[in-house]
Structure formats: C-alpha cells, structure tokens
Amino acid sequence: MADERDSLTNQNQTNFDQQNKHQTSIRAGLLAIVSLAVILGLLWPVGGNNRGRGHRTICRNNVKQILLALLNYESIHHALPPAHTVDANDSPLHSWRTLILPMIGEQELYDSIDLSKPWDDPVNAIARKARVDTFRCPATACPENFTTYLAVVTPDSCLQDHEARHLAEIKQSYSQTVMILEVVSKNAVPWMSPQDAGEELLMGFGPKTVLPHQVGPTAGMLDGHVDSLMPTMPAPVRRKLISATIDDR
C-alpha cells in the first residue's frame, strides 16, 4: 500500500510539474511574440506625407506595448490584472492601466500614486493629470490625461472587475480573444479612471458608426497580435471574441 501511495504521489507531482511547464512555455511564447511585434512596430518606417497612416501605426504599436505589459504582469503575478482594484467596501480604486505603469517604463509615475486612495482623491491629483503617451492615440482630440484604450470587461472576458483572471481559465483561442479595444474620442476616459468598455460597445458599432482611423477599432488579442475589427463583422463572431472562458470549440 505504501508503494502504491508513493507511486500516486509521484504521478501527481509529475502531472503538476508538466502543467507548470506548459503554462511557463505559454507565457514565454506570448512574451516573445509580442516583444518582437513591438520592436518591428518601432522600426517600421512611416511616410511623412501620410499622417493618418502614421497615427494608425503608432496607435497599433501602443496597443502592442500594452499587451506586452499585461503579459509581463501575468508572468510576475501568475494572473492577469483585475480591471480595477477595490477598497474594503468594494468601491473602485485604480484601473489596470495604473497597475501596468512599471511595465511601460513609468515606474516613477507609479511610485507617486497612493494606491490605497481612489484614483480621483486629491492626493493623486498630480499623477491624475499626467500624460502617458502609451495610453494615448496621437490622433485623438481628447484631453492629454485621457486614453482611448479600454479593456473589454464582461462576465467572460480576460480582465474582470476586481478579480484576477488566470490564463488556465481561458478556453477560447488566444488569437481570437480580445483584451484591449481602441475607442473614439467621445468614449475616451481618464487613463487613471477605473472605466472600461462593456459588451455593448463592441457589439454596437456598425458601418455608420464613427470609427477610429476610419477603418475600425484596433483590438489587442491575448496572443499579442493587433487587428482591426471590421464594422461588418457578424454579431456571433464579435461575441466569441469576448467570451474567453466559454469553451465552444
């Protein structure tokens, strides 16, 4: 009996080790892919006579940097950040954008923020007014401390209200799972604000909707690639993009 117990214990440990190695391989692969995409985006030449195309290229690279930061956060904490943190009364405190500041080269700004107080508390007034270029599309007309890059937050999305989502919970293909969505200026929010995009924003745009860059919203996928969502995309396809934890394969 002792030998059988030892055998089962060893087998369980082996399975656990294999699962950990698999998750580590996934993290490493995703980080490598997104890092390469960001480097290529920075090196890609942009014609000075085509300002619209240049803005779109910068915007896409911003989203790639945000994706890389989110995956770096996951690599450190073994879970994606919550859409926002909360206090003891479950009142929102800070956005995921604040949590990834160190991963986009904004450690000093991050250190200046009192995470125990709400984002709009007077103690955070200076940080709240700061401009973070990675969170800002160069073509936007909104205030400098606003962002047009929102997480998609639904019951089945990657980022959850005040809860961390583990990669093991994701059932959909990473390449078909939206984490970040670009919005137009009228839907922009202060980057420190714990506000994001709900299901209705992704499901509601169409051919007559004013779209970012006159093409379609830039979407950042869980596998690290960036795509433009066409306004003619069928509703069932859109819904699948934000149904990360539903396994319908």
Side-chain angles (χ1 to χ4, degrees):
M1 291 293 292
D3 290 343
E4 289 182 6
R5 286 196 297 270
D6 290 343
S7 177
L8 287 172
T9 299
N10 291 336
Q11 182 62 47
N12 288 338
Q13 183 62 45
T14 299
N15 291 339
F16 179 77
D17 290 343
Q18 289 176 343
Q19 185 176 12
N20 273 350
K21 288 179 180 178
H22 179 64
Q23 290 296 324
T24 300
S25 297
I26 290 175
R27 292 189 188 99
L30 290 174
L31 289 172
I33 291 171
V34 182
S35 297
L36 178 59
V38 170
I39 292 171
L40 290 176
L42 290 171
L43 295 176
W44 193 264
V46 178
N49 294 329
N50 195 335
R51 181 174 297 180
R53 181 181 176 185
H55 287 165
R56 186 181 174 209
T57 299
I58 294 172
C59 192
R60 289 171 68 89
N61 199 54
N62 284 345
V63 175
K64 289 174 185 176
Q65 291 187 64
I66 291 171
L67 292 174
L68 177 59
L70 286 167
L71 293 173
N72 272 322
Y73 182 100
E74 192 281 334
S75 182
I76 295 169
H77 299 280
H78 305 294
L80 293 166
H84 60 258
T85 59
V86 295
D87 62 17
N89 297 316
D90 284 340
S91 298
L93 288 175
H94 289 279
S95 166
W96 60 271
R97 288 176 289 269
T98 297
L99 301 182
I100 67 168
L101 284 173
M103 290 79 177
I104 60 170
E106 296 286 353
Q107 184 69 53
E108 185 176 351
L109 177 57
Y110 178 81
D111 290 340
S112 73
I113 298 171
D114 187 342
L115 297 176
S116 68
K117 301 289 180 63
W119 72 279
D120 54 355
D121 188 273
V123 73
N124 290 319
I126 295 177
R128 186 168 64 249
K129 296 175 183 177
R131 168 176 172 151
V132 180
D133 287 336
T134 304
F135 292 153
R136 183 177 174 81
C137 172
T140 186
C142 57
E144 288 197 345
N145 65 327
F146 274 53
T147 183
T148 51
Y149 307 131
L150 310 184
V152 178
V153 182
T154 74
D156 300 302
S157 60
C158 291
L159 271 62
Q160 293 289 291
D161 285 337
H162 68 265
E163 291 183 2
R165 174 81 83 190
H166 297 275
L167 287 181
E169 299 176 61
I170 308 299
K171 306 301 182 184
Q172 292 286 354
S173 168
Y174 288 5
S175 65
Q176 296 296 315
T177 301
V178 172
M179 281 207 295
I180 305 300
L181 187 70
E182 180 191 11
V183 298
V184 293
S185 295
K186 73 173 184 177
N187 297 125
V189 301
W191 66 264
M192 277 187 72
S193 172
Q195 296 175 265
D196 282 292
E199 177 180 318
E200 66 283 351
L201 198 57
L202 181 62
M203 299 298 295
F205 73 89
K208 296 183 179 181
T209 305
V210 177
L211 299 171
H213 310 292
Q214 300 180 344
V215 178
T218 298
M221 306 296 186
L222 180 56
D223 72 339
H225 90 275
V226 174
D227 208 347
S228 293
L229 304 183
M230 296 296 102
T232 54
M233 180 180 288
V237 177
R238 299 187 198 192
R239 189 170 299 281
K240 187 173 182 178
L241 292 176
I242 54 175
S243 302
T245 59
I246 298 177
D247 189 355
D248 59 359
R249 289 174 291 180

